[in-house]
Amino acid sequence: MKVKLLLLVVCVAIICLAHPAFAQKKVVIMGSSTAAGYGATSYPLSWAGRLQSSFNMNTTDGIDTTFFNIAVGGYNTYQEMPTGYVPPAGRPACDQLANITKALSYGPDVVIINLPSNDVGAGYTITETMYNLRLMYSSISSSGAKCYITTSQPRNDYSDVQRQALLEMKDSILTQFPVFSINFWDDLVTTDGKNMLRDDRRDPTSPVHPNDIGHEFLFSRVQDKNIFSSVLPVQLTRFNARLKNDCTSFSWHIEQQEPNTTFDIERSANDIDFEKVFSTTVAEAKQSADYVGTDKSALPGKSFYRIKVIEPSHKFYSTTIGIINNNCSFMISGLYTNNNGATVIADISNNKKGYALVSIINTAGVVLQQSKQYIALPFTRIMLPIANYAAGEYYLRLSTDNDNCSIKAFIK
């Protein structure tokens, strides 16, 4: 009985450890002196040390979170760029023992980047700092890990211009990484508008580093972020369409995109039956991005478009937008068979009423049947019998007295 019970316990333990919900998590902290714990009276009282302690309350089951802190005091964004990155002239090379590539070598679930002020002190522009942070974020997200970027922090040894730059950097980071930013500014800055580090939250021996109380506030900000929570789904914040020369051009903007997200643009002549006219898949994760696409054969009259967003975990549709095309008279907007292949159904979009010659042609070019059909505005459905046709590919052609022709293939 004892042997069976022991085997049961071992089996349950193996299953639990193998299941993702029970797997050991890995966190990498990288950055400069604040991330390394400067200003706190001991590392366990720094924000990083407190975070590690909060996740490692139980050290007996072997599945607690593992932390790797590779922060180096005084470092800026260039020194932590991926291995192989070539910096501009006058900028330092990366340190391969403390950069993005090193962080990813641990196979992390989460990477937290805390580089709050040294770029400004080195005279780098906010534009180049934000470029570096975006590249870091993209490199980490593309690996499948989550990446959190902390904002800038106030410090007292900088000029008024530099402190203003730190404030602007804070706003830029919060805007660029809305879900994956952590606000390290608001709890440390003075309320007098001078953008100084508060004395009650500052190490008395340093104009730069937060004290134990300051680090505790920073820890609370990280803790509130719930870094292992599920990523929010992609947000489609804009979808526009514009007609030019019988082509419909699209543009859309997304936020919080997961890796391997597909965007299908679908078109309909009746706002009911949609078909795909454009598709693109983006392998890397993106916090914020703009995309464009084209329907090279816009339907005549009014047509409707929507975006189908397909993420690895779920899919959803955008709102539908309408476009009016008065450049061509008619087009076969949909073609399919039903009744077990006994009937072919053609949906005709048009902006001029009148008669059209409807023909079914085989692959050898032989006309198998013809009929004159009245095409009403703005949409007409035609049903033709094909029960006696052999299985295979055929074409449906529409033409008018003006030789306006539209051809579409179908399979019986």
Side-chain angles (χ1 to χ4, degrees), residues 113-276:
I113 301 174
N114 179 205
L115 290 163
S117 62
N118 291 326
D119 278 40
V120 170
Y124 307 155
T125 65
I126 294 178
T127 299
E128 60 185 310
T129 297
M130 292 304 300
Y131 173 86
N132 293 350
L133 291 176
R134 284 193 296 270
L135 191 148
M136 291 179 178
Y137 175 88
S138 177
S139 298
I140 293 169
S141 297
S142 297
S143 76
K146 292 183 184 179
C147 177
Y148 291 90
I149 311 287
T150 71
T151 67
S152 52
Q153 297 164 205
R155 53 188 290 172
N156 296 349
D157 60 342
Y158 277 3
S159 67
D160 291 344
V161 172
Q162 289 174 313
R163 292 198 299 274
Q164 179 63 31
L166 291 176
L167 173 61
E168 293 172 5
M169 186 184 298
K170 181 265 294 187
D171 293 336
S172 296
I173 291 173
L174 292 177
T175 300
Q176 184 68 55
F177 310 101
V179 175
F180 296 99
S181 60
I182 305 176
N183 191 336
F184 273 16
W185 178 271
D186 289 354
D187 293 322
L188 300 183
V189 72
T190 56
T191 59
D192 57 5
K194 296 182 179 180
N195 301 320
M196 304 282 281
L197 177 58
R198 290 178 53 157
D199 286 338
D200 61 330
R201 297 173 189 180
R202 177 179 62 83
D203 175 5
T205 67
S206 168
V208 178
H209 302 118
N211 59 13
D212 291 347
I213 296 174
H215 274 280
E216 185 174 10
F217 275 101
L218 301 185
F219 159 67
S220 296
R221 290 285 183 167
V222 181
Q223 189 178 46
D224 291 343
K225 188 59 67 169
N226 194 13
I227 60 175
F228 291 128
S229 65
S230 298
V231 178
L232 295 176
V234 62
Q235 296 181 13
L236 182 66
T237 61
R238 186 180 71 248
F239 177 35
N240 297 320
R242 182 172 65 91
L243 182 71
K244 184 178 181 181
N245 299 328
D246 293 336
C247 293
T248 306
S249 299
F250 311 96
S251 63
W252 67 97
H253 181 83
I254 61 91
E255 300 283 347
Q256 307 160 16
Q257 176 194 309
E258 293 184 25
N260 300 312
T261 296
T262 297
F263 301 94
D264 290 343
I265 294 180
E266 299 181 341
R267 180 187 67 195
S268 173
N270 57 8
D271 202 17
I272 299 173
D273 305 305
F274 284 83
E275 62 176 345
K276 181 169 63 176

Side-chain angles (χ1 to χ4, degrees), residues 320-378:
T320 301
I321 57 178
I323 289 291
I324 297 177
N325 179 14
N326 294 319
N327 296 330
C328 58
S329 59
F330 64 80
M331 182 176 290
I332 304 170
S333 57
L335 188 62
Y336 51 94
T337 61
N338 69 353
N339 299 327
N340 294 320
T343 306
V344 63
I345 300 174
D347 291 334
I348 313 300
S349 299
N350 55 293
N351 57 23
K352 292 181 180 179
K353 62 184 179 180
Y355 287 91
L357 186 65
V358 182
S359 308
I360 294 181
I361 307 168
N362 65 17
T363 55
V366 177
V367 177
L368 303 179
Q369 65 169 288
Q370 280 187 338
S371 61
K372 205 167 190 178
Q373 301 278 350
Y374 182 76
I375 311 298
L377 291 173

Side-chain angles (χ1 to χ4, degrees), residues 95-108:
D95 179 353
Q96 297 186 28
L97 296 179
N99 67 345
I100 291 291
T101 307
K102 180 65 175 179
L104 292 177
S105 71
Y106 295 107

Side-chain angles (χ1 to χ4, degrees), residues 236 239 261-266 276 278-280 306-311 315-318:
L236 182 66
F239 177 35
T261 296
T262 297
F263 301 94
D264 290 343
I265 294 180
E266 299 181 341
K276 181 169 63 176
F278 178 86
S279 182
T280 184
R306 68 186 183 187
I307 297 181
K308 181 180 181 181
V309 183
I310 308 169
E311 293 187 285
K315 64 182 179 181
F316 69 94
Y317 292 93
S318 71

Side-chain angles (χ1 to χ4, degrees), residues 39-51:
T41 54
S42 64
Y43 181 77
L45 294 178
S46 69
W47 74 260
R50 292 173 189 268
L51 184 68

